[in-house]
Amino acid sequence: MTGLSSRQAEKRQQEGQGNVHPERTTRSVGEIIQANTLTYFNFVNAVLFGLVLLTGEYKNGLFFMTIITNACIGIVQEIRAKRILDRLSLLMKDNIETLRDDQWVSIPADELVLGDHIRLHAGQQIPADGVLTDGYLEVNESMLTGESVTIFKRSGDKLYGGTDITSGTGEAELTAVGTACVSETIMADARKYHPAVSTLHQDMEKLIKVVARLIVPVGILLFLMQYKTIGLTWAEATIKTVSALVGMIPEGLVVLTSIALAVSAVRLSRANALVQDLYSIESLARVDTICLDKTGTLTEGRMQVETVVPLEEIPESHIRDIMGSYVRVFADGNMTDKALGACFARNEIYEATDTLPFSSERKYAAVTFGEEGTFYLGAPDFLFPDGNASFAEKQKELSESGCRVILLAHSPATECAPSLPEDLEPAALIAIKDVLRQNVKEIISYFKDQDITLKVISGDDPRTVSALAAEAGVEHADRYADMRENRHRDPAGLAESCAVFGRVLPEQKKAMIQALQAAGHTVAMIGDGVNDVPALKTADVGVAMAAGSSAAKNSANIVLLDSDFAVMPKIVNEGRRVINNIGRSSSMYLVKTFFSLLLSLYVILLQKDYPFLPVQLTIISAFGVGIPTFLLQFESSFERLKGRFFRRAFRVAVPSAMAVLVLTLLCDFLQQLFAIPQPRYNAILITLTAYIYIYTLYRVYYPLTKVRAGVLGAMSAMIFLSLWRLGAILETRLILLDALILVPALIGVPVIVASLSRIYDGTAKLGSEFFGKKQK
């Protein structure tokens, strides 16, 4: 073979026959910026901000800072995650020895072209599809098939891009590159952007859509009524209308959510967990089922020798001497050889005169040590197809304990014959086992305590996986299914009834996750291979190991940079903490949305001007909602999320919003009765509204702790300080006489809110019963 010339390679690159893979499955920087800025939410606020600028009342445009903050947080976090992944991909790129111009040169894998002749060896990843032309290779194709059994490749056999070489050396000719590789068919779904499923995001989108439909007709009616009917100036009517519409939009909740999730993402990064999609934090907080592979999660991804059982009264010392010379001969082998090398000290007692490399086809290897004869090492069932009574019982015992059993057998023959000799005698059983993670039992126990079900999905023998899962503490690990025997069966029943699944194909992983979701479960998938991509995309939240394929990392919502499953409890706890606290905060932000809508309808019907200015609502929102809820975001709260966010939030928000309406009616009545000047009316209404917020905070964060009480006290002080020091900006003025109105009203707020809460609960219950009967 002479390989290609440089001119031929360059021409094929130009013709699109290069080994270029469209690996990007996340959004580009431009798409990230566009997605975080060009939204209907931002558009509405930008229009309102523009109207404020036209009036010249710039102080009333402070609300737009929250929109800018929200967009910046989303953009910065997504771009940060993207750059980290790009760096990871760059570090993992291999150079491949390629025959160019009759010389072997080392070039990056993405510079290969169709027809290139390449040299491969153990430890490499095959860069593209091809045919082995010389030598032999042991290849792990689990990245594609999910089955971890290595496959022996000899001259003429097909090689697949993305699979790993565990032993051997060889040369190959590339027959398919780039998007023409087999792995690209599995990657079809990965090309589509797939955000995490977020109940919070869905609820917020619904709320914003409802508000968006309301603000246009309400805004037009409100402006025309104040400008035409009441006779306010164009600027005054515009400011009042903007105030009402800004109040209806829960921009503070959007910003708090973004900030809280971004802070949570930073905290998770300290645990080496990279969050690519902020809302995936919420998805993890809701997870009740986690699907995971055995390797890299329950186990460390390596094997070790558990025990050596000499047979036929052969001394163990002699077995160790033989194995010490064996591991010297097959030093650069597969995972099994590495486990043997760690157990048996290499020696030069016996010199190899002939060898037979391991083959997955025959399931054994052999070495001849001169006059000592030939020693065979491999699967007992392949070395003795008809069985052997001397080790059958012990082999069964070791297999049921989760061990992989290999047999050392001896023949007096002085060469390694291609077929098994008739005089082969068993010498020893060697039990090898996957190494469980040191803290795996504590991790499994955590998930059990949190009512999270684990499903172990593997390409390995289900019996072996079941034994390891049981040892790790996985519940119902004895309920396993061999998916090779269930290729055409609907996975719905198996997904619910079994805990361990062996010999699973990529499409079966995806189908199982869909079946679990159809049964009402929120599912997380942990994977690392190309074969995991469809499942990662289908799951409510996908988690990938950094040591895995680029396809898996790009497809996942969260990437474990240390490839350490042990951080999963910390990730789940962090997700629950931040989302539970956002859930509490959401009711506070919805108070303004509801009372702004109620007040808008009130002033339209009674033909009055809107009672608040945007700057006044900014102060109330800052000290009554924004700052206190942000400070209380860091409280511990690890219970699993259930139900919808806003259903719980409405129960708190609606009565408080109605209380604002009631007190506004009271203030309007007293203003007309006692001819109270507008600055004093503003101060009284702002004080009462702010107190309703403080009381709602008390309800949301009850029972009070020292921290909660301190935050509520500090916010109350800041509101009164703002009324005192920022009177000119807020257009407010308080005098001592106003205490005659404020004190009784403040005392009555808890009574008013409690009464309205009972009315709301009763109405909600009647509505639920009515619609329930109607559906039946």
Side-chain angles (χ1 to χ4, degrees):
M1 297 289 292
T2 58
L4 300 177
S5 67
S6 297
R7 182 173 295 180
Q8 286 176 313
E10 184 178 351
K11 182 180 179 182
R12 294 190 183 189
Q13 284 279 13
Q14 293 171 351
E15 292 174 348
Q17 296 180 344
N19 193 39
V20 179
H21 296 264
E23 290 188 350
R24 184 183 68 79
T25 57
T26 53
R27 293 185 284 188
S28 66
V29 172
E31 289 170 335
I32 290 171
I33 294 173
Q34 180 178 332
N36 284 277
T37 55
L38 302 182
T39 65
Y40 185 77
F41 173 78
N42 290 348
F43 171 73
V44 171
N45 280 279
V47 171
L48 297 177
F49 180 66
L51 292 173
V52 171
L53 294 181
L54 290 176
T55 66
E57 295 286 338
Y58 305 127
K59 65 183 181 182
N60 287 301
L62 288 174
F63 68 89
F64 198 66
M65 290 302 296
T66 60
I67 310 306
I68 296 174
T69 302
N70 179 60
C72 289
I73 290 169
I75 291 169
V76 170
Q77 174 60 26
E78 285 198 51
I79 291 178
R80 173 182 171 275
K82 174 182 172 57
R83 287 178 175 171
I84 290 175
L85 278 185
D86 287 346
R87 287 198 297 270
L88 279 175
S89 297
L90 194 62
L91 289 172
M92 294 182 71
K93 285 187 176 179
D94 289 330
N95 278 3
I96 302 294
E97 284 188 88
T98 309
L99 192 58
R100 291 276 177 89
D101 300 316
D102 297 327
Q103 291 184 344
W104 288 103
V105 293
S106 182
I107 64 174
D110 55 6
E111 292 182 13
L112 295 171
V113 297
L114 184 67
D116 259 329
H117 195 70
I118 63 174
R119 182 180 287 164
L120 299 167
H121 57 78
Q124 281 187 319
Q125 188 176 80
I126 298 174
D129 292 359
V131 174
L132 191 64
T133 58
D134 187 37
Y136 80 94
L137 298 172
E138 285 281 342
V139 180
N140 183 341
E141 296 185 349
S142 62
M143 282 289 184
L144 295 178
T145 65
E147 298 189 30
S148 61
V149 177
T150 54
I151 298 173
F152 182 75
K153 303 282 185 177
R154 55 191 156 207
S155 183
D157 286 345
K158 184 75 174 175
L159 302 176
Y160 298 101
T163 57
D164 298 309
I165 302 170
T166 58
S167 68
T169 59
E171 296 178 11
E173 182 179 353
L174 300 184
T175 57
V177 294
T179 56
C181 293
V182 170
S183 61
E184 288 300 315
T185 60
I186 299 177
M187 285 294 296
D189 286 342
R191 303 299 172 212
K192 305 169 187 176
Y193 175 68
H194 176 74
V197 178
S198 167
T199 301
L200 173 60
H201 188 257
Q202 291 171 348
D203 284 351
M204 288 178 62
E205 287 289 316
K206 289 177 183 177
L207 179 64
I208 290 172
K209 286 179 181 178
V210 171
V211 172
R213 293 191 182 104
L214 289 174
I215 60 175
V216 175
V218 170
I220 293 172
L221 287 173
L222 197 57
F223 174 79
L224 292 176
M225 185 275 298
Q226 293 178 116
Y227 181 55
K228 295 288 187 181
T229 306
I230 299 178
L232 296 181
T233 65
W234 178 88
E236 290 173 335
T238 299
I239 290 295
K240 294 280 188 177
T241 301
V242 169
S243 179
L245 300 185
V246 168
M248 291 183 205
I249 302 171
E251 79 282 349
L253 176 58
V254 176
V255 175
L256 175 77
T257 301
S258 295
I259 292 175
L261 292 176
V263 169
S264 187
V266 171
R267 289 163 65 108
L268 288 174
S269 69
R270 293 171 186 161
N272 286 320
L274 174 66
V275 178
Q276 299 196 77
D277 181 348
L278 287 177
Y279 282 101
S280 63
I281 295 173
E282 185 220 339
S283 302
L284 263 181
R286 290 182 176 275
V287 161
D288 61 19
T289 304
I290 295 179
C291 297
L292 49 90
D293 194 2
K294 166 181 66 69
T295 306
T297 51
L298 299 182
T299 68
E300 295 181 0
R302 64 184 181 89
M303 304 182 81
Q304 69 179 16
V305 175
E306 285 288 295
T307 185
V308 178
V309 182
L311 302 172
E312 304 296 336
E313 299 183 355
I314 301 174
E316 185 174 339
S317 59
H318 182 59
I319 297 297
R320 289 189 174 275
D321 288 343
I322 294 294
M323 289 304 302
S325 295
Y326 176 92
V327 297
R328 187 195 76 241
V329 175
F330 293 103
D332 299 322
N334 54 29
M335 193 181 296
T336 301
D337 289 331
K338 290 177 182 177
L340 295 172
C343 176
F344 302 105
R346 297 184 188 182
N347 62 55
E348 297 183 5
I349 297 175
Y350 304 104
E351 188 66 33
T353 57
D354 193 14
T355 61
L356 181 67
F358 180 82
S359 163
S360 292
E361 215 171 296
R362 59 175 174 266
K363 298 290 185 182
Y364 60 82
V367 58
T368 301
F369 291 132
E371 295 180 357
E372 285 291 324
T374 302
F375 291 86
Y376 291 79
L377 188 72
D381 296 341
F382 281 74
L383 289 172
F384 290 89
D386 298 326
N388 190 295
S390 65
F391 62 78
E393 192 64 33
K394 190 62 179 178
Q395 178 190 354
K396 181 181 178 183
E397 179 186 330
L398 291 172
S399 296
E400 288 177 348
S401 69
C403 291
R404 177 188 170 197
V405 182
I406 57 177
L407 175 69
L408 178 67
H410 174 258
S411 168
T414 56
E415 64 177 0
C416 300
S419 58
L420 290 171
E422 293 182 0
D423 55 358
L424 192 65
E425 295 291 336
L429 290 176
I430 302 174
I432 299 178
K433 198 171 188 178
D434 282 287
V435 180
L436 288 174
R437 288 185 176 276
Q438 290 184 351
N439 54 351
V440 68
K441 292 184 179 179
E442 289 80 0
I443 300 169
I444 300 302
S445 177
Y446 162 82
F447 287 124
K448 181 179 178 180
D449 293 341
Q450 298 298 316
D451 293 326
I452 296 177
T453 302
L454 295 182
K455 303 287 185 181
V456 184
I457 303 176
S458 175
D460 294 340
D461 187 319
R463 293 170 296 179
T464 303
V465 180
S466 173
L468 282 168
E471 186 179 347
V474 176
E475 279 196 301
H476 310 303
D478 57 325
R479 301 178 188 173
Y480 62 84
D482 189 334
M483 298 308 291
R484 182 180 291 175
E485 300 172 359
N486 294 277
R487 289 288 188 254
H488 306 293
R489 181 176 171 182
D490 184 355
L494 287 174
E496 283 285 351
S497 61
C498 297
V500 174
F501 305 87
R503 298 192 175 102
V504 185
L505 295 177
E507 59 268 23
Q508 288 180 311
K509 291 184 182 182
K510 178 179 178 179
M512 287 174 63
I513 288 175
Q514 289 173 328
L516 288 167
Q517 290 171 327
H521 296 288
T522 302
V523 186
M525 172 68 194
I526 304 175
D528 59 1
V530 174
N531 65 298
D532 293 319
V533 168
L536 287 168
K537 285 286 187 180
T538 304
D540 295 282
V541 56
V543 181
M545 302 290 188
S549 68
S550 296
K553 292 196 290 287
N554 287 333
S555 301
N557 306 110
I558 296 175
V559 179
L560 306 184
L561 298 179
D562 282 345
S563 300
D564 187 1
F565 177 63
V567 304
M568 283 300 297
K570 186 178 294 185
I571 295 174
V572 173
N573 274 343
E574 177 60 27
R576 290 182 176 183
R577 182 194 63 76
V578 68
I579 299 302
N580 280 325
N581 286 327
I582 289 175
R584 290 194 185 96
S585 305
S586 61
S587 56
M588 298 301 305
Y589 287 95
L590 294 176
V591 172
K592 182 164 67 74
T593 297
F594 286 124
F595 85 63
S596 295
L597 178 60
L598 293 172
L599 287 179
S600 297
L601 298 175
Y602 162 66
V603 298
I604 289 173
L605 293 173
L606 297 186
Q607 298 186 351
K608 298 173 62 67
D609 61 324
Y610 193 78
F612 291 103
L613 296 173
V615 69
Q616 295 169 348
L617 290 178
T618 299
I619 292 295
I620 294 172
S621 297
F623 297 119
V625 189
I627 296 174
T629 53
F630 176 74
L631 293 175
L632 295 172
Q633 278 297 306
F634 302 98
E635 291 191 315
S636 298
S637 181
F638 301 141
E639 62 272 15
R640 196 175 81 207
L641 276 68
K642 295 179 181 179
R644 310 295 297 193
F645 271 98
F646 291 150
R647 190 173 297 170
R648 300 192 303 269
F650 286 176
R651 187 175 182 276
V652 176
V654 173
S656 294
M658 293 171 67
V660 174
L661 176 63
V662 170
L663 291 178
T664 302
L665 293 172
L666 175 63
C667 289
D668 286 352
F669 172 74
L670 293 175
Q671 183 184 34
Q672 294 178 6
L673 183 63
F674 298 112
I676 299 174
Q678 191 64 36
R680 287 175 57 199
Y681 167 87
N682 292 343
I684 293 170
L685 184 58
I686 291 172
T687 302
L688 293 175
T689 303
Y691 180 69
I692 290 173
Y693 268 93
I694 297 298
Y695 179 69
T696 307
L697 273 172
Y698 167 79
R699 293 181 65 202
V700 170
Y701 289 99
Y702 182 83
L704 290 184
T705 61
K706 290 182 179 179
V707 173
R708 292 176 176 182
V711 170
L712 264 63
M715 294 304 102
S716 300
M718 291 302 298
I719 290 169
F720 284 108
L721 184 62
S722 298
L723 291 171
W724 176 40
R725 302 295 296 176
L726 302 177
I729 296 175
L730 298 175
E731 299 182 19
T732 59
R733 180 170 175 264
L734 273 177
I735 63 174
L736 189 60
L737 185 62
D738 295 333
L740 296 175
I741 298 174
L742 286 173
V743 172
L746 292 174
I747 294 173
V749 163
V751 177
I752 295 171
V753 173
S755 300
L756 292 172
S757 294
R758 291 193 193 95
I759 295 171
Y760 176 83
D761 289 342
T763 305
K765 184 177 180 180
L766 288 173
S768 178
E769 291 175 354
F770 172 77
F771 286 111
K773 290 178 181 178
K774 192 173 182 181
Q775 285 179 352
K776 289 181 181 179

